Amino acid sequence: MDPKQKINLEINAERTARMALFLAIITCFAGPFAASAINLAIPAVSAEFGSGAELTGWLITGFLISNVVFSVPFGRIADLTGRKRIFAVGVGIFAATSIACAFATSVWVLIVLRIIQGVGGAMFASTNIAIMIDTCAPHKKGKALGLAIASAYIGLSAGSTLGGALNNYLGWRSIFIVMTLIGLISLILIILKLPDDSKKSAGENFDVPGNLMYIAASSLVLIGLSMWAGYRWAIALIPVGLLIGVVFARHELKRQNPVLDVRLLASNKNYAFSNIATFLNYAFVAGLTYYLSIYLQLVKGLNPMISGAIMLGQPLFQAIISPYAGKLSDRVSPFKVATAGMAICAAGLLGFCFISESTPLAYVIAVLVVIGMGFGVFSSPNSNAIMSCVGPQEYAAATSLQTTMRNLGQTVSLSIVTSIMTAYIGKTAFADAPVSSLILSMRTGFIIFTVLCIIGVFFSMERKSGNPAITIQNKREAQN
């Protein structure tokens, strides 16, 4: 090859890598921003539409469930047909539903739109990191993951501050206007600046029966978990979903190109335990934000903007620490770094188990900082460990599975919160609920979250140290 052509190729590759990283940063920002901003708007939405805790909670739960249900199928579709296309369509759906949410006329319309928005979120969340990892140099992978995850934490920060200010001065609908702008900017850049996919999984088929079984199993289990507290019949959906899940697993073992590589999860402890650790770590995230939004506004009597400023400590420290933790995981075992982060999170959650109406705000901020530090130390090294266990042709599938574990954890977190809230205050609107009942609900929830995080520490410790680079391709070659 001509030296000049080689230089041009290298320059183009570097430009592509920078654009992929930039788009990953923007889209990783969008989802957490939407989640944290809407958390602060929950009391306002509840007051406008007269909806109780259980129904209003579906603004978050519905988004997360559709994200979990469709992340794995769309990750597989992206691997087969090209990631840019799925990425662009997902961002387009996210932008379109955001503007529609801004003009919603009832809480039911808002919930439906949020569920559709979750489908779009699943499409771009299962492709953005995969595109970024596929284009960046191997020795920069941990750093790139750290930057992308840091952007997610900045999204949490902006949601807590900007979202609180928007809700306080312009109303909760203005939050969706900002989300629309973020989506449109991302879509334009994807179409104009991101090149078409150069790598696809050729010669592989899309497993329609497997995908349908996965969607049915995950939908039934998650809906059952989310609704059982208010509707006892919903608990019957859980065993039905689990039964379909068993049939799905047996089906996948017979497939040459499965939707979800059950064999790898069973044989590669590092890959399996890293995903379990993701689930357990995120099993407190959504509940923590939800509880603190209610606590600061309804127990402490603070407005949304001040509440958002107080909640800034957690995502701010996550954003500061995450890139350094990711870079560290390129040099030492990412498993050890992630385990330390999980332990710090557990210590912070323990501090919230004693929360009361008279708890000083300084104490709340200090505990949030500890949790933020733990989360920052955990997330990017754990993502680095997961991506190191797969080959380039399955980056989207691995990303979508991690996204599924993350959103599944948050869904379970909200299910725990909703169930406990329903048990203590029933269908009473938040503003009319006794403060003592809200406090008891929070303490109960934080005890459960602490236990789950401690369990996560043990799962994280069980992973082998050293180089985790065992790819799916190598595993299949060994089997053959």
Side-chain angles (χ1 to χ4, degrees):
M1 181 183 293
D2 184 84
K4 188 175 181 180
Q5 289 180 321
K6 185 177 181 181
I7 292 173
N8 288 335
L9 286 175
E10 291 175 351
I11 292 173
N12 289 334
E14 182 64 26
R15 288 175 179 172
T16 299
R18 285 200 299 266
M19 180 53 60
L21 174 60
F22 182 65
L23 285 167
I25 288 172
I26 293 178
T27 51
C28 283
F29 171 94
F33 172 81
S36 60
I38 295 303
N39 263 302
L40 283 165
I42 287 293
V45 174
S46 176
E48 178 171 335
F49 294 124
S51 53
E54 180 186 1
L55 185 59
T56 311
W58 271 90
L59 293 176
I60 304 169
T61 304
F63 178 88
L64 290 174
I65 287 179
S66 60
N67 228 284
V68 170
V69 169
F70 291 102
S71 285
V72 168
F74 277 120
R76 187 62 182 148
I77 291 172
D79 280 334
L80 294 174
T81 64
R83 295 163 188 164
K84 176 183 175 179
R85 184 183 309 165
I86 301 300
F87 192 17
V89 173
V91 171
I93 292 173
F94 183 84
T97 50
S98 293
I99 191 63
C101 284
F103 296 96
T105 55
S106 72
V107 70
W108 287 104
V109 172
L110 196 56
I111 289 171
V112 171
L113 289 170
R114 285 284 286 173
I115 291 171
I116 299 172
Q117 190 179 55
V119 177
M123 295 175 76
F124 70 71
S126 61
T127 50
N128 54 3
I129 298 295
I131 292 172
M132 181 194 75
I133 291 296
D134 200 27
T135 57
C136 77
H139 65 282
K140 297 180 179 179
K141 183 174 63 175
K143 183 179 179 180
L145 282 166
L147 290 170
I149 292 172
S151 74
Y153 298 149
I154 293 172
L156 287 171
S157 303
S160 299
T161 51
L162 178 59
L166 289 169
N167 185 42
N168 192 56
Y169 292 111
L170 300 176
W172 61 267
R173 296 176 189 273
S174 62
I175 296 171
F176 289 105
I177 300 295
V178 173
M179 290 163 56
T180 303
L181 294 175
I182 295 172
L184 288 176
I185 292 170
S186 301
L187 182 60
I188 292 170
L189 289 174
I190 292 168
I191 294 172
L192 297 180
K193 298 295 184 179
L194 198 65
D196 291 332
D197 298 295
S198 59
K199 294 182 180 179
K200 301 177 185 179
S201 298
E204 298 183 8
N205 298 319
F206 184 67
D207 181 11
V208 175
N211 278 279
L212 291 177
M213 282 189 285
Y214 173 83
I215 291 171
S218 56
S219 297
L220 290 171
V221 171
L222 292 173
I223 292 172
L225 285 171
S226 300
M227 294 182 64
W228 75 271
Y231 305 92
R232 296 301 181 189
W233 56 265
I235 199 168
L237 299 176
I238 299 175
V240 175
L242 292 174
L243 180 61
I244 296 174
V246 172
V247 176
F248 165 76
R250 292 175 62 87
H251 171 82
E252 293 299 282
L253 288 171
K254 300 175 183 177
R255 298 286 301 185
Q256 184 178 0
N257 307 119
V259 178
L260 185 64
D261 201 319
V262 178
R263 285 167 293 193
L264 181 69
L265 287 169
S267 60
N268 188 335
K269 185 168 71 172
N270 288 344
Y271 184 64
F273 281 14
S274 293
N275 277 289
I276 293 173
T278 299
F279 164 74
L280 290 170
N281 192 256
Y282 277 87
F284 72 83
V285 173
L288 171 65
T289 308
Y290 194 95
Y291 269 144
L292 287 180
S293 173
I294 294 169
Y295 175 78
L296 293 172
Q297 293 182 72
L298 300 182
V299 177
K300 289 295 190 180
L302 304 175
N303 65 40
M305 186 171 66
I306 296 176
S307 298
I310 290 173
M311 293 168 66
L312 180 64
Q314 177 195 343
L316 180 61
F317 273 80
Q318 291 170 354
I320 292 171
I321 292 174
S322 183
Y324 296 102
K327 190 174 182 180
L328 178 64
S329 70
D330 282 332
R331 301 176 180 177
V332 300
S333 169
F335 305 132
K336 291 181 179 180
V337 182
T339 300
M342 183 80 85
I344 296 170
C345 287
L349 285 170
L350 183 63
F352 273 141
C353 293
F354 307 98
I355 198 168
S356 69
E357 187 176 358
S358 60
T359 299
L361 291 178
Y363 178 86
V364 174
I365 295 171
V367 174
L368 283 172
V369 167
V370 172
I371 294 174
M373 292 172 62
F375 220 112
V377 173
F378 170 82
S379 294
S380 49
N382 194 65
S383 296
N384 195 5
I386 289 173
M387 300 307 289
S388 297
C389 292
V390 301
Q393 73 278 15
E394 275 128 342
Y395 279 159
T399 301
S400 62
L401 179 59
Q402 186 185 14
T403 300
T404 297
M405 291 296 104
R406 183 170 63 243
N407 288 328
L408 180 61
Q410 293 187 76
T411 304
V412 170
S413 179
L414 284 174
S415 174
I416 292 170
V417 169
T418 303
S419 300
I420 295 171
M421 281 286 194
T422 302
Y424 280 105
I425 68 174
K427 298 183 183 295
T428 305
F430 286 123
D432 301 325
V435 171
S436 59
S437 297
L438 293 175
I439 293 296
L440 285 173
S441 170
M442 292 176 193
R443 287 179 178 174
T444 304
F446 282 125
I447 290 171
I448 294 173
F449 295 152
T450 302
V451 171
L452 289 175
C453 205
I454 291 172
I455 294 172
V457 172
F458 286 102
F459 268 102
S460 191
M461 289 172 62
E462 285 297 311
R463 296 178 292 185
K464 295 178 181 179
S465 60
N467 185 1
I470 302 174
T471 67
I472 292 177
Q473 183 177 0
N474 290 340
K475 181 62 65 176
R476 286 177 178 166
E477 289 175 354
Q479 290 172 347
N480 294 332

